[in-house]
Structures are given as C-alpha cells and as structure tokens.
Amino acid sequence: MATLPSKPSSPFYLALLFILINTMATITQTEAQLSLNLYAKTCPNALNTIRTSIRSSLAVDTRMAAGLIRLHFHDCFVHGCDASILLDQTPTIRTEKTAGGNNMSITGFEAIDAAKAQVEKICPGVVSCADIVAVAARDASAYVGGPTWDVKLGRRDSTSAYPDVAVTDLPSHNDDVETLIKRFKGKGLNVREMVALSGAHTLGDAQCSSFRDRIYSDGANIDGAYAGVLRRRCPLVGGENVTAPFDPVTPDHFDNNYFRDLMRRRGLLASDQVLYSGGGVTDGIVTEYGKLAGRFRDDFAAAMVKMSEIQPLTGSAGQIRRICGAVN
C-alpha cells in the first residue's frame, strides 16, 4: 500500500498547500467579483449621476433607449462585459464597432461618453465604462416604460477589442432557432432567457439589408400584408440607409407587442420569426409572453442581470479607462 510523505516540508505537502491557497484565492475572488454597493464609499453619487446623464440623452432622442440596451448586449456577448465594444480604431487596436453585426447597427456611444464625463468630474478614475454601459441599459429600459433591476458593479475595462469574436459570437439576423439556442447557451443563458432577451426588439429598428431577404423570399412564414408594407419601404436593390421598426405600433415603448407580432407572423427579422414557427421549441414561451406582459417584464429583467455578469474583468484585471473609447 502506498504511503503519504511524512514530513510537512516535503515537496508533496508544499505542492498541496500551493494548490489549496490558490483554490481559496480563486473562490474568494469569485465571491467578490461584483457588488451592489461597490461605489458606496468611493463614488456615492455615481448611479444618480449616470441616471441623470442617460435621461438627458434620452430626452433628446428616445430611440437611443434601444441602442443602449443593444450596446450592453453586444458588449457582453463578445469576450464578456468589459466595454471592449467602446474602443475606437487605432494603429494597435482593431475596433469591434464595425465588426459583423455591429456595423452600422450599434448606437448609444455618445450617451455613454457623456455619462462617463459627468462621473469623471466627481470621481476621477473610479467608475468603469463597463459598469456605465450596464447601468445605462437598466436606466434606458426604465425610461421607456420597461422594467428596472439591480446592477452589480465592479466590472473593469478591457485593454483590447475583439472584432473576430464579434463576427463569430454575435447572433445573426438569419440565424435559425437551433443556432440561437446554441449561441446563448455558449454564454450561459438558457432557452427561456434567450427568448426574453430577444424581447428587447420591442424597441428600435433594423436596416433594410437585414430583413430584405425575409420580405422578398420568405413567403410562407410572413404575413402578406406586413411584407407588402415593408417592400414599399425597403427596395429589392439599394435602400441601405432605410430602416423599419421591430414594433411598428409602439417602437419607443417597452411592452410585449413584439411577441404578439411574432404570433401573427410579423417578426421583422428572420431570427425574430424563428422563435414562433407553429410547433417550434420556443413557441410556448412566445405565446406566454404575448399573453402575460408582467411575466415577460420579470423574465427580461432577470435575464439582463444574468447577461450583465458574463465574464467580467475584476480585481486587478483590465483597467478603469479615463475615456471610454481609448485605453489609458
């Protein structure tokens, strides 16, 4: 029978101690990653300052609410919630802003910059851009009648951008439901959370190029009258700057019309309509949300919280950027 080394100073025990110390350190770091009260002492007015600034931006352009929620989503789905999406192109950084699904479809950068500038005035070098993006999404939702939620704080900002990951990991307007489920699962989000987060499309609009194929060649899975209206707006050739709202009735108000539209085959993108196809795996959730607005609101808030905690940089990782579009 094998016996363990008898001396505590033996290489075996030293190695075991090293593993134990590192394990405990990892557990401690994980537990302390994010906190609701992180800035209570270091910047007690941070959240009020962010909210006031975001509300001021939305008062000028309410449509930016959709952009701020989408900005947070696209940040977290690419290498975690680290504000990498905010970095501008430089000789040493390839920006995410023009990569894949981000190209010409992401807005809200100016609102984040304005909020960051206000926070820097009262607490320089304390509040990260990644935290501001997360808080801004919550405040934008509340501004347009959507749910609010508690945002844990402590994300730090990346020193790199990941455009190649943006191309591979962000959902596409042509994704089928199996691909969407796989993409969200890869980020730790289940099917119900995927459908709830898709409900963010109750706000905002999309470019003609992202729904052209659907309205000209997806006959069986789109309401004919709805397709006709969109064809008059989006030509078969050209019209690259033309947009259409996801929800044509209340495009700037958070509600559950998005799901009701899916049930009438009036989803704007192919990746919207695949959530309700008549017998599909997500049909039941869409029906539930279409009937129960409160259930959708609750699930959306919970899913946003979970998404906001995807792979944050914490502790000494990353940095607190002074300007959101550039590393220090």
Side-chain angles (χ1 to χ4, degrees):
M1 173 183 274
T3 58
L4 296 177
S6 59
K7 294 182 179 180
S9 60
S10 72
F12 174 85
Y13 284 105
L14 291 176
L16 187 62
L17 181 61
F18 177 80
I19 293 171
L20 180 61
I21 290 173
N22 276 275
T23 300
M24 293 304 294
T26 300
I27 292 172
T28 301
Q29 183 181 19
T30 300
E31 290 176 343
Q33 275 186 345
L34 301 174
S35 166
L36 289 174
N37 302 310
L38 183 71
Y39 302 124
K41 294 182 179 179
T42 56
C43 193
N45 290 320
L47 296 184
N48 285 336
T49 301
I50 295 169
R51 181 170 60 250
T52 298
S53 181
I54 293 301
R55 289 178 68 87
S56 294
S57 294
L58 291 171
V60 175
D61 185 0
T62 307
R63 295 174 301 173
M64 195 178 294
L68 289 168
I69 294 171
R70 186 181 300 178
L71 182 67
H72 185 33
F73 177 93
H74 282 226
D75 181 37
C76 292
F77 259 59
V78 178
H79 220 269
C81 308
D82 59 4
S84 60
I85 194 172
L86 304 181
L87 288 172
D88 293 321
Q89 184 86 7
T90 72
T92 58
I93 291 177
R94 293 168 55 222
T95 185
E96 294 173 22
K97 292 182 178 182
T98 55
N102 289 335
N103 192 31
M104 298 179 67
S105 71
I106 298 298
T107 60
F109 298 110
E110 297 86 356
I112 298 299
D113 288 342
K116 174 64 170 176
Q118 293 301 312
V119 172
E120 285 293 297
K121 288 180 181 179
I122 60 172
C123 309
V126 174
V127 181
S128 70
C129 298
D131 274 349
I132 292 175
V133 170
V135 172
R138 184 269 310 274
D139 293 345
S141 170
Y143 187 87
V144 292
T148 188
W149 54 87
D150 292 330
V151 178
K152 290 184 180 180
L153 306 164
R155 301 164 193 78
R156 288 171 64 85
D157 302 323
S158 71
T159 55
S160 262
Y162 309 94
D164 294 337
V165 180
V167 171
T168 59
D169 286 19
L170 288 174
S172 165
H173 61 272
N174 285 322
D175 280 348
D176 57 31
V177 70
E178 290 80 12
T179 301
L180 289 172
I181 291 172
K182 183 178 179 180
R183 288 189 191 279
F184 280 73
K185 183 179 180 180
K187 305 301 177 183
L189 298 163
N190 62 35
V191 174
R192 190 177 188 85
E193 290 160 343
M194 181 267 287
V195 177
L197 289 172
S198 297
H201 282 181
T202 187
L203 303 168
D205 50 28
Q207 293 173 311
C208 172
S209 58
S210 65
F211 59 84
R212 179 184 285 119
D213 288 347
R214 170 161 164 72
I215 63 175
Y216 283 100
S217 61
D218 198 16
N221 203 31
I222 187 169
D223 176 76
Y226 178 62
V229 170
L230 292 174
R231 288 188 197 118
R232 289 192 290 274
R233 190 168 192 155
C234 173
L236 185 58
V237 179
E240 301 309 319
N241 295 322
V242 172
T243 63
F246 287 103
D247 173 5
V249 179
T250 56
D252 299 321
H253 181 73
F254 190 101
D255 54 33
N256 64 339
N257 279 347
Y258 168 77
F259 298 104
R260 295 177 180 178
D261 284 339
L262 295 185
M263 295 165 67
R264 294 193 291 262
R265 295 184 297 131
R266 294 181 180 178
L268 182 60
L269 306 181
S271 57
D272 291 320
Q273 194 58 59
V274 296
L275 300 179
Y276 189 89
S277 58
V281 66
T282 55
D283 283 21
I285 305 172
V286 169
T287 301
E288 180 181 352
Y289 289 160
K291 293 179 179 178
L292 303 173
R295 183 75 53 80
F296 164 52
R297 291 171 63 91
D298 290 347
D299 284 2
F300 180 82
M304 287 293 287
V305 169
K306 189 171 179 180
M307 185 193 75
S308 76
E309 298 175 10
I310 295 174
Q311 293 179 289
L313 295 175
T314 57
S316 60
Q319 61 181 210
I320 305 296
R321 292 187 212 138
R322 293 187 293 271
I323 299 173
C324 289
V327 298
N328 296 339

